[in-house]
Amino acid sequence: MVDLREIPALRAWRAAERAAGRRVAFVPTMGALHAGHLALVDLAARLAPTVLMSVFVNPLQFGPGEDFARYPRDLDRDRALAAGRGVAALFVPAVEAMYPPGAETRVVPGPMAERWEGAQRPGHFAGVLTVVAKLLNLVQPDLAVFGQKDIQQVCLVQRMVRDLDLPVEIHVGRTVRETNGLALSSRNAYLSSADRTAALSLSRALRAADLAWRGGEAEALRLHSLMMEQFHMSIGVTVDYIAIIDPDTLRPVERADGGTIVAVAARVGRTRLLDNHILGTEFC
Ligand code: PAF
């Protein structure tokens, strides 16, 4: 695996891949890799012969008081995992390379970013879209793979790619779960063992909605209350939102169809967790 730290090295590597006629698939990450990221690499490798991964903890997408400083970082471990999974090149830029002094331009998302995560984390999605746009411009991949777990991020990246005519295909990798249902996340590292038990209420709530919908219940209010019931039994969990929403607008729906997104965010101890399910897809 090639280690790329500097932007000129990345550009030279990319030019060589282009000259060799190889399609490049890109997996952007903030590191602290887990099996969910590696599944994105597997998907990328099925779609293109060369996979490039980036590891960059993007300061722009963390608000004041959020976990930027304590976000888990272990580059040696990430490097070993990426290389073991067949990643051809790992791009690990410094903050100063991505945001040199004087950098001030931002990608400002539309109203889709004001709901749900955007309402809880003002400025978060401008930070995400700015770094994703920069990474796409730097890497110039044929395709990029994002995880379904951050579903609003996926929808906003897809929207940005359409709105700004960015020449890249966006692919979405399914959420990977532990056998007990907990969605894999780098932030699971913050959970105590009691938190991990409490955190199961998120996937239980999604599963309850999925089962009810498959059983014929399409009323969003009813699905919402079935989901809330799962949290009444959990101690130490505070629900931030349950969203039953249209995938194109992220607005709440009254009746859920195939393709409707059911998303949940909750605080478990000091950790905010997200999970979601797209109705009509298999609950993994
Ligand atoms: O999903 C993530 O890990 C990040 O938001 C991303 C897409 C790498 C941008 O920093």
Side-chain angles (χ1 to χ4, degrees), residues 28-31 37 54 56-58 61 71 124 127-128 131-132 135 146 150 153 157:
T29 80
M30 297 205 300
H37 297 108
S54 62
F56 180 64
V57 184
N58 172 34
Q61 68 189 74
Y71 195 82
H124 169 66
V128 170
V131 81
V132 170
L135 289 167
F146 291 81
D150 293 305
Q153 167 173 283
V157 168

Side-chain angles (χ1 to χ4, degrees), residues 196-206 227 230-231 234 237 268:
R196 292 178 72 83
T197 306
L200 299 181
S201 46
L202 280 83
S203 55
R204 269 204 312 264
L206 294 171
M227 290 177 74
Q230 300 301 319
F231 290 98
S234 308
V237 183
V268 180

Side-chain angles (χ1 to χ4, degrees), residues 240-277:
D240 274 348
Y241 59 78
I242 287 174
I244 302 175
I245 53 183
D246 179 280
D248 295 321
T249 61
L250 303 187
R251 288 174 190 278
V253 296
E254 286 180 11
R255 293 186 67 76
D257 289 324
T260 296
I261 296 168
V262 183
V264 57
R267 282 165 214 274
V268 180
R270 289 176 57 216
T271 308
R272 253 185 114 247
L273 296 178
L274 309 182
D275 202 351
N276 69 84
H277 174 58

Side-chain angles (χ1 to χ4, degrees), residues 60-78:
L60 230 55
Q61 68 189 74
F62 291 80
E66 290 188 354
D67 57 344
F68 175 68
R70 69 179 187 121
Y71 195 82
R73 290 164 174 87
D74 188 344
L75 190 54
D76 289 340
R77 182 176 171 276
D78 290 346

Side-chain angles (χ1 to χ4, degrees), residues 37 107 129 135 138 142 151 159 245 259 281-282:
H37 297 108
V107 176
L129 294 191
L135 289 167
L138 289 165
D142 295 284
I151 190 78
R159 185 75 262 163
I245 53 183
T281 66
E282 192 191 335

Side-chain angles (χ1 to χ4, degrees), residues 110 112 129 153-165 248:
M112 270 169 74
L129 294 191
Q153 167 173 283
V154 167
C155 295
L156 286 163
V157 168
Q158 287 169 327
R159 185 75 262 163
M160 173 179 74
V161 164
R162 284 198 297 271
D163 289 350
L164 302 185
D165 304 305
D248 295 321

